[in-house]
């Protein structure tokens, strides 16, 4: 798993002692200034972790904000990062991937032409990669705070929709139909408790 910087692991510390999870911090030791081999280095570390995992298990790969690589290696394009993901997904032991990306307006506005703003290369790369993943994903889950700010009984809104890749998988139509019947698209309010737990609230 490509995690955050330093000791901040995005609230997943509870799983770190489990043998079912392998955590890779690919950012804390990033070079300063950054250099071009960073993408290849990250891909190699992930492949090594997959190779060292138990051989009788399929891999669920979770990438937390891989777009940070655009800052670590500015010459990296959205296509470069997408090619790395395709290589990871093609691994024989890969079951599926989950990608966590910031999708606030400043991160994706470059995907829409705007005569009043010329996007920076970083904005363009981030927006391009995010849109690519939305079109490739089977499912898209979005979390956002309330427009009116956090309330005591509600932290934000969870939205679940089918992605552009919903029908583009190796499973048969009957299996997709079964999953489609179980999947409920929509929006739900959620609450993050003081202990870090999350629950859906009506």
């Amino acid at each position: 798993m490509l995690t955050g910087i330093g000791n901040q692991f995005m609230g997943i510390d509870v799983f770190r002692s489990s043998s079912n999870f392998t955590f890779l911090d690919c950012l804390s030791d990033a070079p300063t200034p950054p250099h071009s081999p960073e993408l290849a280095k990250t891909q190699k570390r992930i492949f090594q972790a997959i190779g060292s995992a138990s051989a009788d298990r399929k891999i669920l790969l979770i990438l937390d904000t891989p777009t940070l690589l655009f800052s670590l290696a500015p010459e990296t394009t959205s296509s470069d990062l997408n090619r790395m993901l395709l290589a990871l997904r093609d691994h024989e032991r890969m079951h599926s991937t989950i990608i966590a990306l910031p999708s606030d307006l400043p991160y994706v506005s470059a995907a829409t032409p705007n005569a009043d703003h010329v996007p920076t290369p970083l904005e363009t790369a981030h927006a391009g990669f995010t849109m690519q993943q939305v079109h490739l994903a089977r499912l898209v889950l979005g979390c956002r705070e309330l427009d009116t700010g956090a309330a005591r009984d509600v932290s934000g809104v969870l939205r679940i929709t089918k992605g552009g890749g919903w029908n583009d998988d190796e499973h048969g139509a009957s299996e997709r139909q079964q999953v489609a019947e179980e999947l409920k698209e929509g929006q739900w309010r959620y609450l993050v408790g003081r202990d870090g737990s999350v629950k859906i609230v009506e």
Side-chain angles (χ1 to χ4, degrees):
M1 177 174 182
L2 179 61
T3 66
I5 297 176
N7 294 322
Q8 299 178 358
F9 285 89
M10 303 299 290
I12 57 177
D13 292 316
V14 67
F15 298 110
R16 298 191 68 191
S17 60
S18 172
S19 61
N20 293 327
F21 293 85
T22 299
F23 296 89
L24 298 181
D25 182 358
C26 297
L27 302 180
S28 292
D29 58 352
T32 303
H35 52 67
S36 57
E38 197 61 33
L39 195 64
K41 175 183 173 183
T42 298
Q43 179 176 322
K44 181 179 179 181
R45 291 184 66 178
I46 295 175
F47 274 134
Q48 289 174 338
I50 292 174
S52 63
S54 177
D56 60 346
R57 294 179 178 178
K58 285 289 188 177
I59 301 296
L60 170 62
L61 178 66
I62 304 175
L63 298 176
D64 182 11
T65 322
T67 47
L68 283 175
L69 291 169
F70 293 141
S71 298
L72 295 175
E75 69 280 5
T76 302
T77 66
S78 60
S79 296
D80 293 334
L81 188 53
N82 192 48
R83 280 193 292 270
M84 184 190 81
L85 280 181
L86 289 176
L88 294 172
R89 287 168 172 159
D90 283 343
H91 193 283
E92 60 182 5
R93 295 185 56 196
M94 193 64 62
H95 176 268
S96 56
T97 56
I98 296 175
I99 305 175
L101 295 171
S103 58
D104 305 277
L105 184 59
Y107 290 103
V108 297
S109 59
T112 304
N114 185 349
D116 298 327
H117 174 68
V118 178
T120 65
L122 183 59
E123 291 173 333
T124 300
H126 194 293
F129 179 76
T130 302
M131 293 300 103
Q132 284 176 331
Q133 299 315 304
V134 169
H135 289 299
L136 291 171
R138 294 189 65 206
L139 288 177
V140 178
L141 282 70
C143 291
R144 62 175 177 82
E145 296 180 345
L146 297 175
D147 296 335
T148 55
R152 184 171 61 180
D153 56 346
V154 179
S155 300
V157 176
L158 169 68
R159 183 185 183 194
I160 301 178
T161 60
K162 296 175 183 177
W166 174 257
N167 293 319
D168 299 336
D169 61 79
E170 70 278 11
H171 304 296
S174 59
E175 184 172 344
R176 284 201 303 270
Q177 180 62 29
Q178 180 182 356
V179 174
E181 292 174 355
E182 297 174 353
L183 171 67
K184 182 179 179 181
E185 295 182 283
Q187 295 190 116
W188 297 267
R189 294 178 297 173
Y190 66 88
L191 174 66
V192 180
R194 293 184 176 180
D195 60 352
S197 62
V198 180
K199 64 179 181 179
I200 300 297
V201 295
E202 299 295 337

